[in-house]
Amino acid sequence: MERTQSIQKAIDFEKLHSNFFILPNAWDAASAKIFEQCGFKALGTTSAGIAASYGYADRSMPFDTMLDAVRNIVHAVDIPVTVDIEDGYGETPEDAAEAVKKVITAGAVGINLEDSTMDPQKPLQDISFQQKKIDAIRELGERLGIPVFINARTDPYWIKLETPFNKLDETIKRAHAYQEAGADCIFVPGIKTLTDIRTLRQEINAPINVLAAPGLPSAHELEALGIQRISTGSGPYRAVLSFLQSIGQEMLERGIFEPVTSTSKITYDDLLRL
């Protein structure tokens, strides 16, 4: 992808956060193209969806495998693509910056960086260390001359802890720290109540991203509250697998092929045109 085109896509993606928009998450070229044809202005990747499609559990997929999927997705569409890089694919801030360099070189315009660790003894990353990662990524964008959009994900609502703590206070504290380090947007998966979302909006002066999930207020309510972005995570991928499971059971248990042969909206010719 030409440098000027990459820069323009990055600028366009940042501008989307001036208003409310929905960001679907793709896992391969076909899903990305379908979302683009639906009319979405940008899309993200789902690390869980990509990992599962390659036979890995989330957070265990090799970086090069993820990068191959990113290249396929970016080349399939003309809209901006932001990439879920999990916790940065490395042990140091420099590792995270190097991972971002590769996904940006592949044509992406932004990243999600999460602060959960998968360690039950210490489920959330140290705030100062996470700030260093964000700072390293911001410096990388400046060196590349591309405005890399940093979506800082913070997981107090997402992780499961035996010892209760104030999820909202911890989220706000981390959001302020990450914004100070250079994050462009704060992503809070798992937050659902209008009260908490309203308080979060009042306390944070950066764009806010929430995750589509059961119990989340409607898009209209969230837009009215001033939320800029709703993403879907692995939801669409899991929905596709759920449908696949359903039609598989219908075929095997009842000998019914109607969902496969007659009700699909996408024809074989449509598939070729993707």
Side-chain angles (χ1 to χ4, degrees):
M1 184 181 298
E2 294 184 1
R3 178 182 175 80
T4 54
Q5 186 180 6
S6 296
I7 293 174
Q8 187 58 54
K9 281 189 175 183
I11 293 171
D12 292 343
F13 184 67
E14 184 177 7
K15 285 181 179 178
L16 287 175
H17 295 78
S18 299
N19 299 293
F20 171 82
F21 71 108
I22 297 172
L23 185 83
N25 295 84
W27 58 93
D28 62 8
S31 59
K33 196 65 181 177
I34 290 293
F35 285 137
E36 182 182 43
Q37 290 180 349
C38 286
F40 289 100
K41 302 301 183 184
L43 60 86
T45 67
T46 161
S47 65
I50 293 175
S53 69
Y54 279 92
Y56 294 96
D58 198 18
R59 297 283 291 257
S60 67
M61 174 177 52
F63 175 76
D64 288 344
T65 301
M66 185 276 288
L67 191 60
D68 284 341
V70 168
R71 291 191 185 101
N72 290 338
I73 289 169
V74 168
H75 292 160
V77 298
D78 294 323
I79 57 179
V81 176
T82 183
V83 175
D84 182 352
I85 64 164
E86 302 179 350
D87 65 346
Y89 286 93
E91 300 297 325
T92 68
E94 292 74 23
D95 291 335
E98 182 62 25
V100 173
K101 181 180 179 180
K102 290 179 179 178
V103 300
I104 296 302
T105 301
V109 300
I111 55 96
N112 283 355
L113 181 70
E114 61 195 65
D115 63 3
S116 55
T117 66
M118 305 295 285
D119 180 357
Q121 302 303 315
K122 185 186 176 185
L124 289 171
Q125 185 59 262
D126 179 76
I127 291 177
S128 61
F129 186 71
Q130 197 72 3
Q131 284 183 302
K132 291 177 182 177
K133 286 186 180 181
I134 294 169
D135 182 61
I137 295 168
R138 177 57 61 220
E139 288 183 359
L140 168 75
E142 292 172 356
R143 291 199 306 272
L144 295 177
I146 296 175
V148 179
F149 194 91
I150 303 173
N151 194 37
R153 173 177 144 179
T154 183
D155 286 344
Y157 282 88
W158 201 239
I159 59 175
K160 297 178 175 62
L161 290 177
E162 293 183 3
T163 304
F165 72 113
N166 192 312
K167 296 178 180 181
L168 182 58
D169 286 351
E170 184 67 22
T171 296
I172 292 170
K173 179 174 70 174
R174 287 174 175 270
H176 287 160
Y178 299 161
Q179 188 180 0
E180 180 183 330
D184 298 290
C185 183
I186 303 299
F187 181 23
V188 187
I191 194 169
K192 293 182 181 180
T193 69
L194 278 171
T195 300
D196 282 5
I197 294 171
R198 184 179 291 109
T199 301
L200 189 69
R201 177 68 285 167
Q202 292 169 347
E203 294 293 331
I204 298 172
N205 61 4
I208 295 175
N209 178 188
V210 296
L211 181 68
L216 187 73
S218 70
H220 294 300
E221 290 175 296
L222 292 170
E223 182 178 8
L225 282 176
I227 299 302
Q228 281 76 19
R229 169 171 153 183
I230 303 177
S231 53
T232 62
S234 63
Y237 180 74
R238 288 183 286 108
V240 168
L241 289 187
S242 297
F243 180 68
L244 186 63
Q245 183 183 56
S246 176
I247 64 174
Q249 290 173 338
E250 290 281 280
M251 288 189 291
L252 186 62
E253 298 171 7
R254 301 177 60 190
I256 295 176
F257 298 89
E258 189 72 12
V260 177
T261 59
S262 302
T263 62
S264 174
K265 293 182 179 180
I266 298 176
T267 66
Y268 179 73
D269 289 339
D270 293 334
L271 189 63
L272 293 179
R273 282 190 290 269
L274 278 178

